[in-house]
């Protein structure tokens, strides 16, 4: 499997963002969705605006990950062979993602503008399943709230601590089902991203969607809108600090 990462660059965005529309096959998408749905109910965390699974576990209070492998279905066919072919995690400390969030968004659900934070290597790779959705990208404000280790993000707030309900995105990225979106470097550290709480994504076209020319099915959005359906995302990252269970127990025992 061969991907040309440079050909997938979203030119309208700051360095570095890449979009691959046909990252996995229809059969692989269906298989992954079935794996998500068959996870035991305790694996789901219900938040106010979505629900999620955290693999292999949530981060500790010190933003560390307890050493544990990802399940096989989150490794193949995503990490092996596709991420390996792209070599996107080659410079990361563990040279592969070690943490995955599975987010489920029903129509009308979303997530406030946030940054992923310093617990991770500055690269996030997201596979979209089930339905398309628009990701909004924002400039940072003076004070921001972070989404880390699967906790719900809150609205960006101004200096006075008042929620900013009038924030408008600087860029919009349409993520089709079966696609991969990679954000790293300045895209990861200098900007916020979020999903607006809508049942319909509107104002779609080359003037407003910065990855328009990279889309697989532009004709599906020629009317300028689409009604949202349930969308599931697999978000792959590399947690910088990994600890073994024995070390954690020693620390707890020494208190």
């Amino acid at each position: 499997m061969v991907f040309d990462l440079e050909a997938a660059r979203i030119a309208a965005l700051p360095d570095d963002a890449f979009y691959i529309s046909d990252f996995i096959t229809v059969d692989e998408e269906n298989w992954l969705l079935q794996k998500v749905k068959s996870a035991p109910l305790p694996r789901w965390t219900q938040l106010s605006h979505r629900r999620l699974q955290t693999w292999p576990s949530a981060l500790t209070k010190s933003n560390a990950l307890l050493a544990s492998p990802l399940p096989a279905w989150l490794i193949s066919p995503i990490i092996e062979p596709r991420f390996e072919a792209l070599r996107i995690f080659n410079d990361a400390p563990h040279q592969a993602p070690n943490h995955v969030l599975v987010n489920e968004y029903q129509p009308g659900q979303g997530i406030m503008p946030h940054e992923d934070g310093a617990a991770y290597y500055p690269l996030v790779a997201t596979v979209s399943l089930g339905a398309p959705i628009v990701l909004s990208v924002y400039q940072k404000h003076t004070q921001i709230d972070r989404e880390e280790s699967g906790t719900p993000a809150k609205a960006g707030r101004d200096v006075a601590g008042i929620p900013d309900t009038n924030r408008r995105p600087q860029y919009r990225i349409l993520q089709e089902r079966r696609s991969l979106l990679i954000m790293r470097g300045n895209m990861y550290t200098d900007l916020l991203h979020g999903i607006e709480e809508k049942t319909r994504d509107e104002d779609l076209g080359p003037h407003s969607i910065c990855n328009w020319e990279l889309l697989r099915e532009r004709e599906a959005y020629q009317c300028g809108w689409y009604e949202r359906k349930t969308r599931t995302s697999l978000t792959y990252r590399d947690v910088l600090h990994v600890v073994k269970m024995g070390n954690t127990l020693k620390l707890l025992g020494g208190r």
Side-chain angles (χ1 to χ4, degrees):
M1 184 167 298
V2 178
F3 293 109
D4 183 350
L5 191 60
E6 193 56 38
R9 183 182 294 276
I10 305 177
L13 291 175
D15 292 343
D16 281 330
F18 307 88
Y19 181 80
I20 299 174
S21 61
D22 271 312
F23 186 65
I24 59 172
T25 68
V26 173
D27 287 343
E28 288 168 336
E29 177 191 37
N30 291 334
W31 181 77
L32 287 165
L33 284 171
Q34 184 56 42
K35 287 292 186 180
V36 170
K37 292 175 182 176
S38 63
L41 190 59
R43 268 289 174 184
W44 287 102
T45 299
Q46 185 64 57
L47 305 177
S48 58
H49 299 284
R50 70 192 193 285
R51 64 174 186 163
L52 61 83
Q53 298 174 22
T54 307
W55 296 91
S57 64
L59 303 189
T60 68
K61 291 183 179 180
S62 60
N63 283 332
L65 177 68
L66 298 180
S68 182
L70 291 170
W73 64 273
L74 286 172
I75 295 175
S76 177
I78 304 299
I79 298 175
E80 299 173 0
R82 287 170 169 83
F83 283 176
E84 291 181 349
L86 286 168
R87 302 170 63 86
I88 54 175
F89 281 92
N90 278 23
D91 293 330
H94 303 99
Q95 298 186 313
N98 56 16
H99 192 257
V100 181
L101 286 184
V102 180
N103 283 288
E104 181 187 86
Y105 296 93
Q106 300 287 345
Q109 294 182 331
I111 183 170
M112 288 292 190
H114 65 275
E115 65 173 352
D116 290 340
Y120 307 96
Y121 177 75
L123 186 155
V124 57
T126 303
V127 179
S128 292
L129 308 173
I133 208 162
V134 170
L135 183 77
S136 298
V137 180
Y138 304 80
Q139 290 287 350
K140 285 186 179 181
H141 281 199
T142 303
Q143 179 180 342
I144 52 178
D145 293 312
R146 294 178 177 175
E147 180 202 44
E148 293 180 344
S149 65
T151 57
K154 300 177 181 178
R157 296 174 183 270
D158 62 20
V159 177
I162 302 172
D164 179 3
T165 56
N166 297 314
R167 178 177 292 183
R168 296 183 64 83
Q170 183 174 3
Y171 307 101
R172 299 168 76 217
I173 303 169
L174 202 163
Q175 296 175 262
E176 299 167 285
R177 59 189 301 174
R178 301 192 290 109
S179 69
L180 172 70
L181 175 64
I182 302 166
M183 295 191 295
R184 67 186 188 190
N186 294 334
M187 276 295 299
Y188 184 97
T189 58
D190 297 348
L191 298 168
L192 307 179
H193 56 274
I195 294 172
E196 296 185 62
E197 295 179 350
K198 296 180 174 181
T199 58
R200 173 188 289 201
D201 279 313
E202 300 177 308
D203 191 27
L204 306 179
H207 62 288
S208 62
I209 299 298
C210 60
N211 63 323
W212 183 261
E213 296 304 319
L214 296 173
L215 295 179
R216 179 181 66 248
E217 299 174 338
R218 291 192 293 273
E219 63 278 4
Y221 311 107
Q222 294 292 349
C223 63
W225 60 272
Y226 67 86
E227 295 286 346
R228 283 193 188 172
K229 298 180 181 178
T230 301
R231 180 254 189 174
T232 301
S233 63
L234 311 179
T235 300
Y236 287 79
R237 291 175 288 203
D238 183 9
V239 180
L240 299 175
H241 188 203
V242 178
V243 296
K244 294 183 179 179
M245 182 66 72
N247 293 339
T248 303
L249 293 175
K250 288 179 183 178
L251 289 172
L252 292 174
R255 289 181 179 177

